[in-house]
Amino acid sequence: QGQLVESGGDSVQPGGSLTLSCAGSGYDLKFNCLGWFRQAPGKDREKIASLYTVTGAIVYTASVEDRIPISYAMAKNPMYLQMYNLTPEERAMYYCAEDRACRADDRNWDLWGQGTQVTVSA
């Protein structure tokens, strides 16, 4: 089925920036829906943004809109998540995922990466 691989996680200071990438291991991202998620220690997983590649429509969670744009190459591989003005509360494991249709219940999404750690501290 293939494997998603995230990279770019790092430790940054508050107000810093990071760019995460998500690529298929040995294949181009193939599903119509791509998404970025994060899970902070002790908290539920949160969807950051989803991208429906057929139309180019992007949906962001309100808390990150305008600060965390996502982009992808026309070949759909890789997908990027650019994060600006990070806060300590955004320390989390960041995941990318693919789905056939941006289904509302992300537990059913088709393919998940293993995650990349982002730490924000002074």
Side-chain angles (χ1 to χ4, degrees):
Q1 185 177 9
Q3 181 179 359
L4 291 176
V5 179
E6 303 94 337
S7 62
D10 204 347
S11 180
V12 298
Q13 294 185 338
S17 302
L18 276 177
T19 298
L20 307 183
S21 64
C22 171
S25 178
Y27 75 103
D28 288 338
L29 301 176
K30 58 185 178 182
F31 289 102
N32 290 330
C33 184
L34 309 174
W36 282 102
F37 299 78
R38 64 187 176 190
Q39 186 166 22
K43 295 188 177 181
D44 293 334
R45 186 171 63 203
E46 174 190 28
K47 183 187 294 181
I48 300 171
S50 60
L51 163 66
Y52 187 56
T53 62
V54 175
T55 62
I58 302 175
V59 178
Y60 294 97
T61 189
S63 64
V64 305
E65 193 164 7
D66 296 332
R67 285 196 304 117
I68 306 186
I70 67 174
S71 62
Y72 72 103
M74 290 304 294
K76 298 197 229 180
N77 198 24
M79 175 175 64
Y80 298 102
L81 180 70
Q82 298 169 285
M83 302 188 289
Y84 303 97
N85 196 22
L86 287 163
T87 67
E89 291 72 30
E90 293 176 299
R91 172 193 172 213
M93 186 71 78
Y94 284 71
Y95 300 90
C96 66
E98 291 189 89
D99 189 56
R100 67 197 73 176
C102 287
R103 289 175 288 181
D105 188 349
D106 52 72
R107 292 173 299 178
N108 296 324
W109 279 36
D110 290 295
L111 193 62
W112 289 85
Q114 294 300 305
T116 186
Q117 180 68 44
V118 172
T119 301
V120 186
S121 63

